[in-house]
Amino acid sequence: MKNKKFEIPSESMADFAEALAESQLENEICGKDDDENIIIKVYYEPEEREQMLELMEWVEENIEEED
């Protein structure tokens, strides 16, 4: 099983959680970083790659533009 770590600003966590729920990928909250971002690990199998790519695209469109 592969995994990817996301660092999500706390103010965007509710929207990210909704996108994560739609992806139906296994995940866990790992804590916060020094910038108060919430660290989420998302686990996926090779056959779930499409869901992971959609989630990564959501982050690019909704999180990284805010920086």
Side-chain angles (χ1 to χ4, degrees):
M1 181 173 278
K2 296 182 179 187
N3 70 72
K4 174 145 178 70
K5 181 174 80 170
F6 292 95
E7 296 177 6
I8 306 298
S10 56
E11 63 271 5
S12 300
M13 189 58 209
D15 293 331
F16 179 75
E18 191 173 310
L20 189 55
E22 288 177 14
S23 75
Q24 298 182 348
L25 295 172
E26 183 180 337
N27 60 83
E28 71 177 307
I29 297 174
C30 299
K32 287 186 171 186
D33 65 11
D34 293 338
D35 295 327
E36 298 297 313
N37 292 323
I38 300 170
I39 300 170
I40 310 290
K41 268 192 185 174
V42 179
Y43 301 92
Y44 62 102
E45 297 291 346
E47 60 270 10
E48 297 172 314
R49 186 171 182 267
E50 184 65 34
Q51 292 98 305
M52 176 55 77
L53 291 174
E54 289 175 8
L55 189 60
M56 290 168 61
E57 183 178 316
W58 185 94
V59 169
E60 286 179 14
E61 292 174 356
N62 296 281
I63 305 297
E64 294 177 0
E65 290 179 357
E66 296 175 6
D67 293 343

